[in-house]
Amino acid sequence: MRRIARPTPQLLAAAILATLALSACGGRQVSEAPPAGSRAGQLAPQSAEAESDKALDSIVVTGARVREGNVSRHARRVAAIAPPSPPPPPSAPPPAPIVAQHRMASPMIALPTESTNTETYAEREDNPVKRASEEPVSTFSIDVDTGSYSNVRRMLRNGTRPPADAVRAEEMINYFDHGHPGPASLATPFRVTTELAAAPWNGKRQLLMVGIKGYDVPKAELPPANLVFLIDTSGSMNSEDKLPLLKHSFAQLVEQLRPQDRVSMVVYAGSAGVVLEPTPGSEKDRILAALDRLQAGGSTNGGQGIELAYAMAKQAFMKDGVNRVILATDGDFNVGITDRKALETLVGDQRKHGIALTTLGFGQGNYNDAMAERLADVGDGNHAYIDTLQEARKVLVQEMQSTLLTIAKDVKIQIEFNPAVVAEYRLIGYENRMLRREDFANDRVDAGDIGAGHEVTALYELTLVGSDAARLPALRYADAPATKAGTAGELGHLRLRYKRPGEDTSRLIERPVSRRDLRATPSPALRFAATVAAYADALRGGKNIDGWSWDEIARSARQSVGDDPWALRREFVELVDAARRVTAGDTPQVGMIAD
């Protein structure tokens, strides 16, 4: 835990006296009001807000099954509190105009301020090692979110060690394309493959990689899209990495729209309003002009904004098209409907009516990752974090057809391990996606969706029977598991359930996982996925990688870069080095982090 140095009282006194002297010199200018066209504090036009009242439908919130996770706050103090200032001379102007003088480019000395990091992440514990003879079945929902990777990247670039709960291994792994083969046609919406090889951090254990690749629908064949941009314009969005970055990011998406697409725009701050009625994708100038007029100011009424956005989505609903709300926010919901379960119920109800929700996170300091991720999960959407324009292009341009077109719903994976061959197993990541065994065949239990061209990767660490690398102590009274006839060569049996869009009954895919699939050396895809998993584990404390060091992780990352057209893997190599410095304390950190 590190704290920044406190300024001396003498230095503070000198700074304050200098500031007051400068204020007295510019007194006449300070007293002037800001120009009428100032952007500070402006909201959507009142006329648009009035129109929103007409468009807002009545939305009844009913009960829906949701899971409640614990939420932890990780606070980081970024500035020390200055000692009390001496009283100003009688002729000095009031302190408030100093801000106005600064706005007029007069020189001033910034006074220390106190700022608290209130970023919020859902608590999570790593999946435990399980004995196959006691719990042979593992069941979970797929996940295509990637927000954890880019959010952690932002922290590492700032020289800050990420809170452990901000690191989600499955989102780190699924950030990358691992080259899984896809199906030949949409008749089978995705293809499932497996690979088995030794774990790089312990050759006495194996890694089982399960890969899913969705059918890649050409852009010309995508159905029309009805999109509602739900944009947070509250005061907390008034920084360069928030609303300005958001506007440039959405502008990239606008350029991809087709004439058959429709876009609406809703903003929310102290109140919510419609700034753009449903508009054809061919009218790009009109859409971009509405984006450009957005300004930040006020508190955040996220609940009211979501209600209005869904009303707009229903107004322009496309029966055979894509209907989706794209929520862009720092997640700081502080007025209005703030109860998390009430928001989840609202989003879940609208999902049942065919309107999905995607969440995009922006900014730092008050980022509510837990809320953004959970709402996307409940809304059958995906969650991403935008920290750069390059990330915006990846999410909103390169991967948008995957986001917009769902080809398989409620995708669940279940593996039954053969206890005669597998002694222990551990699923890497997906802690908040675990399902009960009986949930697998229950079509009323919600799970993740796969979009066109999407990839999903899951890793299991296995300890085979006879290996001396077992982590669990031997049981005194346990009998050796018997081998069922005809299954001696099987490590396990993989089952996958999914629904086609518009269907309510799931379909089953199943196949055995053979011990003969064990490779002497992992493929480049498995090697790189394992390296990303080790990176995530090391950021969370390195409890599961048998002392594999940062140097070894970095070496593996460099050796498994492979084909890298967008330089994402080379960037990953740089992040591994940054993570090594931060965790070793080589990089100066601002303030402190409370884990």
Side-chain angles (χ1 to χ4, degrees):
M1 182 177 294
R2 300 188 171 199
R3 300 178 185 268
I4 64 172
R6 294 180 180 269
T8 63
Q10 292 85 354
L11 179 59
L12 283 171
I16 292 169
L17 289 175
T19 303
L20 292 174
L22 290 171
S23 301
C25 294
R28 179 176 301 176
Q29 293 177 340
V30 168
S31 64
E32 296 175 359
S38 172
R39 298 172 64 91
Q42 291 183 1
L43 296 174
Q46 291 298 320
S47 58
E49 187 172 333
E51 289 295 326
S52 72
D53 295 335
K54 300 177 182 178
L56 180 61
D57 292 351
S58 174
I59 300 177
V60 180
V61 179
T62 61
R65 177 182 176 275
V66 295
R67 293 192 174 186
E68 185 174 5
N70 293 327
V71 174
S72 65
R73 292 184 177 271
H74 299 270
R76 175 164 53 90
R77 194 170 299 274
V78 297
I81 303 176
S85 305
S91 59
I98 294 177
V99 177
Q101 187 177 30
H102 173 65
R103 197 158 49 232
M104 299 179 68
S106 298
M108 68 171 291
I109 300 173
L111 295 178
T113 59
E114 181 182 17
S115 178
T116 300
N117 187 316
T118 59
E119 295 185 10
T120 308
Y121 301 93
E123 290 183 357
R124 58 197 290 124
E125 296 291 335
D126 293 338
N127 284 323
V129 175
K130 295 189 176 182
R131 199 188 308 271
S133 60
E134 299 171 349
E135 299 181 69
V137 179
S138 172
T139 309
F140 66 98
S141 161
I142 63 103
D143 184 14
V144 296
D145 293 346
T146 60
S148 176
Y149 182 89
S150 48
N151 186 33
V152 166
R153 175 178 63 197
R154 178 260 301 179
M155 297 186 205
L156 291 176
R157 284 177 170 174
N158 289 342
T160 301
R161 180 169 185 168
D165 290 332
V167 182
R168 297 186 285 274
E170 72 279 7
E171 296 187 24
M172 300 282 183
I173 296 169
N174 285 322
Y175 184 84
F176 297 94
D177 185 340
H178 298 284
H180 303 311
S185 70
L186 192 53
T188 304
F190 52 82
R191 181 177 173 184
V192 183
T193 56
T194 58
E195 182 182 343
L196 186 69
W201 50 82
N202 190 329
K204 296 180 180 180
R205 300 198 192 100
Q206 279 68 44
L207 286 182
L208 172 63
M209 179 168 71
V210 179
I212 300 174
K213 173 71 173 181
Y215 179 70
D216 200 353
V217 179
K219 183 178 179 180
E221 299 178 15
L222 291 174
N226 165 35
L227 304 178
V228 180
F229 297 169
L230 175 56
I231 298 176
D232 182 354
T233 56
S234 62
S236 66
M237 293 289 288
N238 193 21
S239 64
E240 287 300 318
D241 60 345
K242 295 185 179 182
L243 187 58
L245 176 60
L246 183 157
K247 291 160 70 172
H248 289 298
S249 300
F250 272 82
Q252 297 189 69
L253 172 57
V254 171
E255 294 297 338
Q256 308 302 312
L257 296 175
R258 304 160 299 171
Q260 61 266 40
D261 299 326
R262 295 291 181 272
V263 170
S264 310
M265 201 176 304
V266 174
V267 298
Y268 65 94
S271 59
V274 176
V275 297
L276 184 71
E277 297 283 346
T279 303
S282 57
E283 298 185 23
K284 292 180 173 56
D285 288 344
R286 182 181 173 194
I287 301 171
L288 291 172
L291 263 177
D292 189 57
R293 288 194 298 268
L294 300 182
Q295 301 176 34
S299 56
T300 309
N301 192 340
Q304 187 183 76
I306 288 179
E307 289 179 320
L308 184 54
Y310 279 124
M312 295 303 298
K314 287 190 288 183
Q315 177 180 323
F317 190 86
M318 295 180 175
K319 182 178 180 182
D320 298 318
V322 175
N323 299 277
R324 184 176 297 266
V325 173
I326 302 178
L327 167 61
T329 180
D330 57 10
D332 189 18
F333 290 22
N334 51 43
V335 298
I337 304 176
T338 59
D339 180 75
R340 178 170 168 173
K341 294 189 69 174
L343 281 169
E344 289 178 6
T345 301
L346 170 65
V347 171
D349 286 347
Q350 297 306 312
R351 177 197 72 213
K352 296 173 185 176
H353 290 91
I355 304 173
L357 176 70
T358 288
T359 60
L360 303 178
F362 288 83
Q364 58 186 312
N366 62 335
Y367 176 50
N368 194 332
D369 175 89
M371 177 77 81
E373 183 200 16
R374 182 57 185 158
L375 290 182
D377 291 347
V378 174
D380 271 354
N382 63 302
H383 167 59
Y385 178 85
I386 308 296
D387 59 334
T388 64
L389 276 177
Q390 291 76 16
E391 183 66 16
R393 181 167 185 81
K394 178 179 184 292
V395 173
L396 296 175
V397 177
Q398 297 168 4
E399 299 175 352
M400 184 46 64
Q401 66 190 61
S402 301
T403 300
L404 293 181
L405 180 59
T406 298
I407 59 174
K409 303 188 308 175
D410 295 339
V411 182
K412 307 171 188 175
I413 296 176
Q414 185 174 81
I415 299 183
E416 179 186 355
F417 290 102
N418 182 356
V421 179
V422 177
E424 299 172 350
Y425 67 89
R426 179 179 69 90
L427 176 61
I428 298 176
Y430 294 93
E431 286 85 1
N432 64 350
R433 293 290 189 156
M434 300 306 297
L435 298 174
R436 294 171 299 188
R437 183 172 175 177
E438 61 268 26
D439 290 341
F440 180 71
N442 187 348
D443 287 342
R444 297 182 64 85
V445 175
D446 183 54
D449 298 346
I450 292 180
H454 254 151
E455 271 196 5
V456 178
T457 303
L459 294 177
Y460 280 92
E461 184 182 20
L462 309 180
T463 304
L464 302 187
V465 171
S467 170
D468 61 0
R471 286 173 165 159
L472 300 177
L475 297 178
R476 180 179 179 87
Y477 303 107
D479 295 328
T483 302
K484 185 178 179 180
T487 64
E490 294 181 5
L491 273 80
H493 197 75
L494 170 64
R495 303 180 182 91
L496 188 145
R497 282 194 176 273
Y498 72 97
K499 300 172 188 171
R500 287 183 175 276
E503 296 181 353
D504 296 322
T505 302
S506 66
R507 305 184 183 208
L508 176 65
I509 297 175
E510 54 185 335
R511 52 169 291 183
V513 180
S514 174
R515 187 168 187 169
R516 292 192 300 271
D517 295 337
L518 180 61
R519 304 174 58 154
T521 57
S523 69
L526 177 53
R527 178 77 180 189
F528 185 75
T531 304
V532 177
Y535 161 79
D537 192 82
L539 283 172
R540 287 178 58 82
K543 296 183 295 184
N544 301 299
I545 52 177
D546 295 302
W548 216 36
S549 69
W550 278 113
D551 288 342
E552 290 169 310
I553 296 172
R555 185 180 307 111
S556 180
R558 289 192 297 269
Q559 293 173 350
S560 54
V561 167
D563 186 27
D564 190 27
W566 302 104
L568 295 177
R569 296 189 177 200
R570 279 169 283 176
E571 177 191 71
F572 172 69
V573 173
E574 297 173 0
L575 291 180
V576 170
D577 190 53
R580 179 194 62 77
R581 294 195 305 270
V582 167
T583 56
D586 296 345
T587 301
Q589 299 189 38
V590 181
M592 62 183 182
I593 294 180
D595 289 326

